[in-house]
């Protein structure tokens, strides 16, 4: 074979080898659709297409990448647990309270796709009695034996409920008021301080320090520090020297703003006050109308927007502190003209009857102890109002499902990190627990 033919043969062999390598590389990529950019991102189906909170749902398609994939049930994020090696399947857990009929959308990088089929959410809410005998006494000890008159409460991150127990003639009590701690891990009720009238407490999300307003004098409140085993410290915030203080110390609730870490309280006379938890210095922010407020809260999605209740006005109010201060206004946000009633639906049409404590959970649902209606109401992030438990207008003590459960004058609500809702069922002299599945 001459030199020219040998060179030609060698070039053909080299080109063939390169072609084989190129085909091999391309084939490997096609065999690994889970590899980012190797297979088209697409959706096919998922199952099951119905279930409850934390239901394991398997999603099928192609091109799924664990490092970038996100899934939403009606725009509420779900926890993605894993993706198969070939990128054709992943599974996630259904989030809490996304709505009865859920549109499933999957986002990966800059791409967003939606399944044609919907997920039917089958929520189940039940109520049980945690403690209390139905007698408005005061007896410490195991949950099954304790007696109390729970008015208001808050929960910390360690499994404790801090309860303001208030006995008076309206619930058959003797007038003995106390501050209590319920250790849910141990199952025991213990005394923090006897003889103190406490109102709606607040737990700081970072320090876990509990503050409880009192009515003794204008700046009075009780501080419970977990580093001191919640020994009661009686504090007094200094009044803003540029403002005239209210005539009496009738402040009925406190709340911590997670945005600035400050404590907010409101007096019956309408004074809205911000308190520095480190120095106890206060600032009089504004004066609203004159009414009792037994609940205040903030939503994560709306920083510096304060929600609070009007006891005798039967209203929920909203104050947007992001606006210039001269534009601040306590705006009623539910329906009616200040008369009591019961109506679910759009918030701007909903009716309440003496709404007491209000508390926001981790998903921005606001729970309201609707005292006059003997119900627990929920305001969703989409501002839809629904009766979670209780028969409107019917007082009673019945545990069980949404269809049968009854309350009698509920005043307080507290929510733990697991989303369990605890209700101070005052006239029943019991702490009740709402479990949402």
């Amino acid at each position: 074979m001459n030199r020219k033919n040998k060179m030609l043969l060698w070039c053909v062999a080299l080109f063939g080898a390169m072609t084989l390598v190129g085909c091999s590389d391309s084939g490997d990529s096609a065999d690994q659709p889970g590899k980012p950019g190797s297979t088209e991102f697409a959706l096919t189906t998922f199952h099951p297409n119905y279930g409850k909170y934390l239901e394991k749902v398997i999603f099928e398609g192609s091109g799924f990448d664990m490092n970038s994939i996100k899934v939403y049930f009606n725009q509420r994020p779900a926890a993605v647990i894993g993706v198969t090696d070939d990128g054709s399947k992943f599974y996630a857990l259904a989030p809490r309270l996304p709505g009865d009929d859920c549109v499933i959308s999957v986002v990966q990088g800059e791409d967003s796709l939606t399944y044609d089929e919907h997920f039917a959410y089958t929520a189940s809410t039940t109520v049980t009695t945690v403690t209390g005998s139905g007698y408005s006494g005061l007896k410490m000890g195991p949950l099954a034996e304790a007696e109390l008159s729970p008015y208001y409460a808050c929960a910390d991150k360690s499994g404790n409920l801090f309860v303001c127990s208030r006995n008076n003639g309206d619930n058959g009590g003797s007038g003995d008021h106390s501050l209590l701690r319920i250790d849910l891990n141990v199952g025991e009720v213990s005394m923090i301080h006897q003889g103190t009238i406490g109102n709606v407490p607040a737990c700081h999300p970072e320090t876990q320090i509990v503050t409880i307003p009192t009515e003794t004098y204008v700046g009075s409140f009780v501080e419970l520090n977990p580093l001191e085993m919640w020994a009661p410290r009686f504090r007094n915030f200094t009044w803003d020297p540029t403002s005239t203080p209210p005539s009496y110390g009738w402040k009925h609730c406190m709340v911590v703003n997670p945005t600035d870490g400050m404590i907010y309280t409101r007096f019956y006379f309408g004074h809205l006050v911000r308190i520095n938890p480190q120095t106890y210095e206060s600032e009089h922010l504004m004066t609203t109308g004159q009414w009792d407020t037994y609940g205040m809260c903030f939503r994560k999605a709306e920083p510096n927007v304060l929600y609070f209740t009007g006891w005798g006005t039967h209203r929920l109010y909203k104050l947007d502190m992001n606006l210039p201060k001269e534009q601040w206004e306590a705006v009623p946000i539910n329906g009616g003209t200040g008369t009591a009633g019961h109506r679910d639906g759009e918030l701007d049409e909903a009716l309440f009857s003496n709404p007491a404590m209000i508390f926001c959970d981790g998903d921005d649902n606001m729970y309201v102890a609707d005292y006059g209606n003997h119900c627990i109401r929920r305001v969703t992030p989409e501002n839809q109002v629904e009766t979670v438990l209780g028969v409107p207008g019917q007082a009673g003590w019945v545990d069980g499902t949404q269809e049968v459960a009854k309350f009698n004058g509920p005043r307080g609500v507290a929510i733990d990190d697991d989303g369990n809702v605890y209700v101070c069922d005052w006239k029943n002299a019991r702490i009740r627990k709402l479990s949402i599945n």
Side-chain angles (χ1 to χ4, degrees):
M1 184 180 292
N2 60 32
R3 181 181 180 87
K4 183 177 179 179
N5 289 338
K6 286 183 179 179
M7 181 62 71
L8 180 62
L9 182 60
W10 183 84
C11 289
V12 171
L14 178 61
F15 177 78
M18 291 176 65
T19 303
L20 288 173
V21 171
C23 291
S24 177
D25 288 344
S26 175
D28 287 346
S29 178
D31 291 340
Q32 300 178 30
K35 185 177 180 180
S38 61
T39 302
E40 181 183 2
F41 171 47
L43 308 180
T44 55
T45 186
F46 67 87
H47 59 89
N49 61 1
Y50 67 93
K52 57 184 185 300
Y53 171 50
L54 295 182
E55 188 79 40
K56 179 180 175 181
V57 184
I58 299 175
F59 300 88
E60 298 185 15
S62 61
F64 298 143
D65 176 16
M66 183 63 186
N67 295 320
S68 61
I69 195 167
K70 297 179 181 178
V71 62
Y72 298 88
F73 287 56
N74 283 353
Q75 301 182 345
R76 183 155 297 179
V80 177
I81 305 303
V83 176
T84 57
D85 290 340
D86 63 1
S88 65
K89 297 178 182 178
F90 74 90
Y91 78 90
L93 302 179
R96 179 184 294 274
L97 306 175
D100 294 337
D101 183 54
C102 298
V103 175
I104 307 295
S105 57
V106 181
V107 177
Q108 188 161 279
E110 297 181 356
D111 297 325
S112 178
L113 299 175
T114 301
Y115 280 100
D116 293 333
E117 188 176 12
H118 290 193
F119 180 87
Y121 189 80
T122 55
S124 173
T125 306
T126 57
V127 61
T128 56
T129 295
V130 175
T131 188
S133 66
Y135 172 71
S136 301
L138 191 61
K139 181 181 178 182
M140 304 298 96
L143 296 180
E145 302 174 7
E147 294 175 354
L148 70 170
S149 225
Y151 218 56
Y152 305 118
C154 70
D156 69 6
K157 293 182 179 180
S158 301
N160 295 298
L161 286 180
F162 298 90
V163 179
C164 299
S165 183
R166 298 272 294 270
N167 296 340
N168 59 39
D170 289 342
N171 74 335
S174 62
D176 196 359
H177 313 300
S178 301
L179 307 180
L180 312 176
R181 180 172 73 94
I182 299 179
D183 187 331
L184 297 170
N185 297 314
V186 176
E188 189 171 62
V189 181
S190 60
M191 176 69 66
I192 291 178
H193 194 270
Q194 190 168 359
T196 296
I197 299 177
N199 285 316
V200 177
C203 183
H204 195 288
E206 301 299 330
T207 66
Q208 298 297 289
I209 292 175
V210 176
T211 52
I212 306 172
T214 71
E215 303 178 19
T216 309
Y217 43 88
V218 170
S220 63
F221 69 99
V222 179
E223 184 179 85
L224 310 176
N225 193 328
L227 299 179
E228 299 177 347
M229 295 302 295
W230 306 285
R233 304 294 185 185
F234 292 84
R235 307 295 192 188
N236 182 43
F237 61 81
T238 58
W239 185 259
D240 184 350
T242 65
S243 305
T244 302
S247 303
Y248 302 97
W250 297 339
K251 51 193 177 304
H252 296 141
C253 60
M254 283 184 163
V255 67
V256 177
N257 182 354
T259 301
D260 61 19
M262 305 289 269
I263 300 170
Y264 290 72
T265 189
R266 184 186 175 278
F267 288 77
Y268 164 77
F269 299 100
H271 300 70
L272 180 64
V273 176
R274 179 165 56 201
I275 306 160
N276 187 317
Q278 304 297 324
T279 65
Y280 307 128
E281 294 176 331
S282 73
E283 179 185 2
H284 176 209
L285 300 176
M286 67 176 297
T287 300
T288 64
Q290 182 172 302
W291 64 78
D292 287 320
T293 288
Y294 296 123
M296 305 167 74
C297 72
F298 290 90
R299 280 173 158 173
K300 291 186 300 182
E302 300 177 276
N304 294 314
V305 176
L306 176 65
Y307 288 87
F308 53 101
T309 60
W311 174 262
T313 66
H314 313 293
R315 310 300 291 269
L316 304 185
Y317 297 87
K318 177 179 179 179
L319 173 63
D320 188 348
M321 294 184 289
N322 297 300
L323 298 173
K325 198 168 182 179
E326 60 271 15
Q327 298 180 22
W328 285 12
E329 182 183 3
V331 180
I333 55 175
N334 66 293
T337 57
T339 56
H342 179 279
R343 184 163 62 214
D344 286 339
E346 295 284 348
L347 177 57
D348 58 5
E349 297 181 357
L351 298 179
F352 297 84
S353 178
N354 284 334
M357 195 172 169
I358 185 171
F359 198 91
C360 189
D361 70 6
D363 295 323
D364 274 357
N365 296 285
M366 296 189 296
Y367 286 82
V368 182
D370 194 357
Y371 177 87
N373 281 317
H374 308 293
C375 293
I376 305 302
R377 314 284 290 282
R378 180 170 59 216
V379 184
T380 70
E382 297 76 29
N383 286 331
Q384 293 289 319
V385 178
E386 51 195 7
T387 299
V388 181
L389 283 171
V391 180
Q394 295 186 25
W397 173 58
V398 179
D399 284 343
T401 63
Q402 189 170 11
E403 294 75 21
V404 300
K406 289 185 179 181
F407 298 85
N408 189 0
R411 294 194 67 113
V413 288
I415 303 177
D416 64 17
D417 279 357
D418 294 327
N420 296 305
V421 181
Y422 296 89
V423 178
C424 294
D425 195 3
W426 185 53
K427 287 193 174 183
N428 277 325
R430 293 176 169 95
I431 295 280
R432 316 281 292 283
K433 177 183 177 181
L434 279 63
S435 298
I436 303 172
N437 299 313

